[in-house]
Amino acid sequence: EDQVTQSPEALRLQEGESSSLNCSYTVSGLRGLFWYRQDPGKGPEFLFTLYSAGEEKEKERLKATLTKKESFLHITAPKPEDSATYLCAVQGNAGGTSYGKLTFGQGTILTVHP
Amino acid sequence: DTEVTQTPKHLVMGMTNKKSLKCEQHMGHRAMYWYKQKAKKPPELMFVYSYEKLSINESVPSRFSPECPNSSLLNLHLHALQPEDSALYLCASSQDIAGAGQETQYFGPGTRLLVL
């Protein structure tokens, strides 16, 4: 069974204070690892898809990296508008019935203070 | 454009009511999904449609009935719901359910459902 663990559960940063969020996973053959941002009461907003160890993707102040066991979401010089819940999800390769299934972590609640 | 739209934004219904949630995408995606999300929890998969056919039902109670009239539309029919069904209902779509680069799911804004 695929499993995803995100840490920390909550992170409070000062504006400009860079940090990283962690997503550890176990999966039977990784088809993809996904990062989403979710604001309260809204749907998750897609950020990145990573497919293989060593892959990196960047978007503005965010950079996602992937190893065989975990992914990091690095936030450089965050701003208050980066405050949100960040969700990590994996899609495994367990066979036909797993297609379309994402296994989500519990999320990291990020708060950036001005 | 990666937009998925959902209507209504908010819905209040009694336990004897029948209502429907609607989801639409015009990205040419062939896979569509319904999720349920409770407060402070991640989204929980309910149904997956692939090429307009139901491919996954995550043992969802029959008071939730999905329908995919065409490749752009997805409905969720609600009947005799319980208060514990109150949640944010999310629709998502992807190019396909399999195939490198085609599985990324894009979510709509959700429908906030309250069952009284």
Side-chain angles (χ1 to χ4, degrees):
Chain A
E1 183 180 337
D2 301 342
Q3 290 189 324
V4 177
T5 302
Q6 291 188 247
S7 61
E9 290 184 10
L11 181 61
R12 300 166 69 92
L13 299 174
Q14 289 296 125
E15 184 172 3
E17 179 187 2
S18 301
S19 188
S20 297
L21 312 182
N22 178 264
C23 171
S24 297
Y25 65 91
T26 56
V27 64
S28 54
L30 182 68
R31 298 181 63 84
L33 183 142
F34 308 88
W35 281 100
Y36 291 90
R37 168 201 170 119
Q38 187 171 27
D39 293 306
K42 297 188 177 181
E45 175 190 346
F46 169 71
L47 295 174
F48 304 108
T49 305
L50 301 168
Y51 294 102
S52 57
E55 191 174 0
E56 299 183 352
K57 289 190 176 175
E58 288 188 68
K59 178 182 178 181
E60 297 179 354
R61 295 178 292 283
L62 300 177
K63 179 179 178 180
T65 62
L66 181 65
T67 73
K68 289 186 178 181
K69 295 183 178 180
E70 57 191 351
S71 177
F72 291 94
L73 185 65
H74 307 277
I75 303 176
T76 302
K79 298 182 178 181
E81 53 261 42
D82 294 322
S83 298
T85 296
Y86 290 84
L87 293 166
C88 173
V90 297
Q91 188 164 47
N93 195 17
T97 57
S98 74
Y99 293 142
K101 284 190 180 182
L102 291 180
T103 300
F104 281 90
Q106 294 297 306
T108 293
I109 302 171
L110 175 65
T111 305
V112 182
H113 296 281
Chain B
D1 183 17
T2 55
E3 186 177 22
V4 176
T5 59
Q6 292 187 242
T7 55
K9 291 184 179 180
H10 304 276
L11 180 62
V12 180
M13 60 186 292
M15 290 190 285
T16 59
N17 292 158
K18 288 184 180 181
K19 297 286 185 181
S20 296
L21 309 185
K22 295 188 177 184
C23 173
E24 191 167 3
Q25 57 86 15
H26 294 289
M27 297 177 279
H29 288 178
R30 304 315 300 257
M32 296 186 77
Y33 311 77
W34 280 115
Y35 287 85
K36 172 182 178 179
Q37 187 177 27
K38 300 284 254 183
K40 301 188 185 301
K41 296 290 186 181
E44 179 183 339
L45 183 66
M46 300 174 72
F47 303 103
V48 179
Y49 273 84
S50 176
Y51 289 81
E52 303 169 39
K53 293 184 178 179
L54 183 65
S55 65
I56 295 177
N57 176 342
E58 290 286 88
S59 302
V60 178
S62 60
R63 57 185 184 269
F64 296 92
S65 176
E67 177 195 22
C68 189
N70 60 56
S71 60
S72 299
L73 292 173
L74 188 65
N75 298 321
L76 186 63
H77 303 297
L78 314 173
H79 173 55
L81 294 192
Q82 304 298 310
E84 57 264 31
D85 297 321
S86 298
L88 180 67
Y89 286 84
L90 295 163
C91 174
S93 72
S94 64
Q95 283 184 275
D96 207 327
I97 59 171
Q102 300 185 58
E103 299 149 315
T104 298
Q105 295 183 24
Y106 298 91
F107 286 82
T111 293
R112 174 69 63 187
L113 174 66
L114 177 62
V115 181
L116 300 176

